[in-house]
């Protein structure tokens, strides 16, 4: 029993420490990568693709440990074997790919929110009678005030667009390049409407106002959904860990009672239970992943 509580304490402490470090360094890590992006020349192949994110060696090791440590503790609870627990902890090597997708989605969400603010700045400048090129330059100045960090995603992107305009490139081409790299539906839709209005002489001010309004409504709906499912998400985690805690208490408080499950066919039963828990977790995550 003492060994169980020692392993549980070490595993939980290590995992919470890794999560804390990841959150603290997440913004710093992104900042460093953004600064690299800002220093790159404005060549299409060298600009950031928001569907691509390469984890550093340190990020990969951290991601592996974030899943491997809890998996080792759970494996030891269900098998009472350090060897089988170590084998089970190998699933931690699958987490870097998942972590990579999480960071990609986080970066795209930030860009989405910042793009809405950029449209508001553009709309204000064009409402005052400014030309499109001048409106983009003034919007960049406003964004620098709103986001003082020069490595901010939207500030970097608008700097690239303004630099291309100054170099004689058409604004349509610069926006199309940004939309293709962002992989955001709203950015692509705005670019398509912008190009159509530019060719046909449509009202760009109304288009920008409408687009900013639609994006704002989608963000509000997304936030409302997140608040609504937050409690259910917590409940699903409690229900997921409850069987693990019950098995741990029974295994270390009444070892004779649980002994049949740690030998022979009992190992297969424990493995089936773990697979069932994993399937339940995947199902709950899929149900609560509501997209607007």
């Amino acid at each position: 029993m003492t060994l169980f509580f020692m392993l549980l304490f070490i595993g939980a402490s290590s995992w919470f420490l890794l999560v804390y470090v990841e959150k603290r360094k997440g913004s710093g890590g992104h900042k460093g990568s953004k600064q690299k992006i800002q220093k790159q020349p404005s060549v299409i192949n060298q600009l950031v693709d928001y569907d691509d994110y390469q984890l550093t060696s340190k990020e990969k090791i951290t991601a592996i440990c974030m899943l491997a440590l809890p998996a080792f503790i759970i494996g030891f609870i269900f098998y009472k074997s350090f060897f089988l627990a170590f084998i089970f902890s190998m699933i931690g090597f699958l987490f870097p790919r998942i972590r990579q997708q999480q960071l990609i989605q986080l970066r795209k969400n930030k860009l989405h929110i910042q793009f809405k603010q950029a449209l508001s700045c553009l709309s204000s400048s064009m409402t005052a009678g400014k030309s499109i090129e001048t409106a983009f330059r003034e919007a960049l100045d406003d964004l620098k005030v709103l986001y003082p960090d020069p490595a901010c995603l939207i500030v970097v992107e608008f700097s690239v667009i303004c630099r291309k305009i100054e170099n004689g490139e058409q604004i349509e081409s610069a926006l199309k390049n940004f939309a293709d790299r962002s992989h955001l539906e709203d950015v692509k839709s705005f670019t398509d409407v912008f190009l159509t209005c530019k060719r046909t002489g449509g009202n760009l001010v109304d288009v920008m106002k409408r687009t900013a309004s639609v994006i704002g409504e989608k963000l509000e709906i997304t936030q409302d959904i997140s608040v609504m499912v937050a409690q259910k998400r917590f409940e699903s985690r409690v229900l997921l860990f409850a069987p693990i805690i019950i098995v741990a208490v029974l295994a270390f408080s009444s070892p004779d009672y649980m002994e049949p499950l740690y030998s022979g066919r009992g190992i297969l039963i424990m493995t089936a239970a773990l697979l069932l828990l994993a399937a339940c977790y995947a199902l709950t995550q899929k149900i609560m992943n509501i997209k607007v």
Side-chain angles (χ1 to χ4, degrees), residues 116 118-132 135-136 190 193-194 197-198 201-214:
K116 172 184 175 294
L119 287 182
S120 299
C121 295
L122 280 173
S123 177
S124 299
S125 298
M126 296 190 67
T127 302
K130 306 291 184 180
S131 64
I132 298 176
F136 268 89
F190 167 75
V193 175
F194 180 89
C197 291
K198 195 77 164 49
N203 193 332
L204 287 175
V205 178
D206 290 342
V207 169
M208 292 182 182
K209 287 182 177 179
R210 179 58 181 167
T211 305
S213 176
V214 170

Side-chain angles (χ1 to χ4, degrees), residues 35-182:
Q35 288 174 342
K36 292 180 182 178
I37 293 169
Q38 188 183 23
K39 294 179 181 179
Q40 291 176 340
S42 55
V43 180
I44 293 178
N45 292 332
Q46 293 179 340
L47 292 176
V48 62
D49 188 327
Y50 289 91
D51 262 359
D52 182 31
Y53 185 92
Q54 298 299 325
L55 293 174
T56 63
S57 300
K58 189 175 182 179
E59 288 175 331
K60 289 181 180 179
I61 294 174
T62 303
I64 292 172
C65 292
M66 286 179 67
L67 183 59
L69 288 176
F72 179 83
I73 301 300
I74 295 174
F76 186 79
I77 291 173
F78 275 75
Y79 296 113
K80 273 192 177 181
S81 169
F82 285 103
F83 176 73
L84 293 178
F86 177 76
I87 296 298
F88 185 70
S89 67
M90 291 295 102
I91 64 174
F93 287 96
L94 301 176
F95 193 65
R97 184 179 295 273
I98 300 175
R99 182 60 179 167
Q100 182 184 35
Q101 295 302 318
Q102 290 176 347
L103 293 175
I104 288 174
Q105 190 60 44
L106 178 62
R107 184 171 61 177
K108 291 170 71 173
N109 290 341
K110 288 182 179 179
L111 180 64
H112 195 196
I113 296 173
Q114 294 169 2
F115 179 70
K116 172 184 175 294
Q117 189 62 51
L119 287 182
S120 299
C121 295
L122 280 173
S123 177
S124 299
S125 298
M126 296 190 67
T127 302
K130 306 291 184 180
S131 64
I132 298 176
E133 291 77 8
T134 304
F136 268 89
R137 296 190 187 96
E138 291 189 355
L140 176 59
D141 295 335
D142 293 339
L143 289 172
K144 288 181 179 178
V145 175
L146 293 173
Y147 304 104
D149 184 6
C152 176
L153 295 175
I154 198 64
V155 172
V156 172
E157 292 296 342
F158 265 57
S159 298
V160 171
I161 293 174
C162 292
R163 194 178 306 119
K164 288 183 176 182
I165 295 174
E166 292 172 358
N167 292 336
E169 186 173 341
Q170 293 184 350
I171 190 172
E172 294 90 336
S173 176
L175 279 176
K176 185 67 167 56
N177 172 241
F178 170 48
D180 292 339
R181 290 185 292 103
S182 68

Side-chain angles (χ1 to χ4, degrees), residues 77-78 237-250 273 277:
I77 291 173
F78 275 75
R237 292 175 180 173
V238 172
L239 292 175
L240 177 68
F241 284 101
I244 299 175
I245 296 175
I246 293 173
V247 171
V249 172
L250 291 176
L277 286 175

